[in-house]
Amino acid sequence: MCGRMTLTATEPLLLAEVFALADPPAEPPRPRFNIAPTQDVLVVTADLPRRLTAMRWGLVPSWAKDARIGASMINARSETVAEKPAFRAAFKRRRCLVAVDGWYEWKVVDDGKEPWRFRHPDGLPFALAGLYESWTDPAGSILRSCSVLTTTPNAFAAAVHDRMPVLLPREAFDLWLAPSELSPSDAARLFAPCPDAWITAERANARVGNPRNDDPGVLRA
């Protein structure tokens, strides 16, 4: 699974270039070193003009009775996303890009688990394949939330964990964001693990396990 994420590369012109935004953000987003489930992430949807929008990480289906269900919906397995009741409607019509520049996984070792941060070799942001939904609470307030799709790992990531996020190349953005169903062949192509050369990894600090620790010190052991 993908359980924590980062977005530290927040220069507006860079974000506009990487995510094909209509305009750079007016202000740089606050750098995030330890984004945890139920916290906000920045996403891009099919809405025009394209821009970064904050959504809660942990998808709350439109039919949910309680928003707390989102804490268990942070990831959607690409192999089953088209059939799972919580995700299938969003997969058909409400796909998004989740803006990050890294994610954490925990490697099982003899004396427990150790955190590793995966990132682009040049520190650039990634577009993760995501889904989103809108949920209305009993008082009429609308919550927009999202989930990150995962797939089998490439050879590099497999040394740490048996899952990894689906990373999308820029040329796939329009297809992924289009509010129409993906063909099985397109889905299979997009859900393939990214090339090993797209990522590198570093041992992270154990402090990352506490979501209150959102500072540069958690990035490395």
Side-chain angles (χ1 to χ4, degrees):
M1 65 179 292
C2 173
R4 298 287 175 84
M5 302 187 292
T6 66
L7 181 58
T8 66
T10 58
E11 201 282 322
L13 288 175
L14 175 64
L15 295 173
E17 171 62 25
V18 170
F19 297 105
L21 306 180
D23 295 293
E27 298 290 340
R30 178 170 70 90
R32 297 296 312 280
F33 306 93
N34 188 11
I35 304 170
T38 74
Q39 296 179 353
D40 282 354
V41 292
L42 295 178
V43 307
V44 179
T45 70
D47 295 342
L48 297 176
R50 284 187 186 168
R51 64 184 188 277
L52 290 170
T53 302
M55 292 189 189
R56 181 184 294 183
W57 183 23
L59 186 140
V60 181
S62 60
W63 43 259
K65 295 182 179 179
D66 192 313
R68 287 177 294 184
I69 192 176
S72 62
M73 301 286 182
I74 62 170
N75 294 156
R77 293 179 67 94
S78 59
E79 298 90 339
T80 59
V81 67
E83 290 81 39
K84 290 290 185 181
F87 301 121
R88 61 191 178 197
F91 178 58
K92 288 181 180 180
R93 297 284 187 269
R94 289 177 292 279
R95 299 184 293 269
C96 64
L97 311 176
V98 180
V100 305
D101 66 358
W103 74 92
Y104 297 98
E105 293 292 3
W106 275 256
K107 181 179 181 180
V108 177
V109 294
D110 290 342
D111 57 350
K113 293 183 178 181
E114 58 186 27
W116 286 75
R117 181 185 179 231
F118 289 88
R119 62 176 181 86
H120 189 284
D122 295 326
L124 299 175
F126 293 117
L128 305 187
L131 313 173
Y132 72 97
E133 278 284 10
S134 295
W135 178 79
T136 305
D137 70 14
S141 298
I142 296 175
L143 171 68
R144 300 184 89 195
S145 59
C146 64
S147 182
V148 171
L149 271 76
T150 66
T151 187
T152 54
N154 59 26
F156 185 85
V160 174
H161 202 271
D162 62 359
R163 302 293 293 177
M164 70 178 297
V166 174
L167 276 63
L168 296 176
R170 171 129 179 197
E171 59 267 23
F173 288 3
D174 288 345
L175 176 62
W176 181 252
L177 293 176
S180 57
E181 291 191 50
L182 288 176
S183 69
S185 60
D186 282 337
R189 175 169 56 84
L190 295 179
F191 293 162
C194 72
D196 288 1
W198 285 22
I199 57 175
T200 188
E202 299 160 331
R203 177 88 176 270
N205 193 288
R207 294 175 58 249
V208 76
N210 186 334
R212 291 190 294 271
N213 296 326
D214 187 10
D215 60 76
V218 303
L219 297 177
R220 293 180 178 85

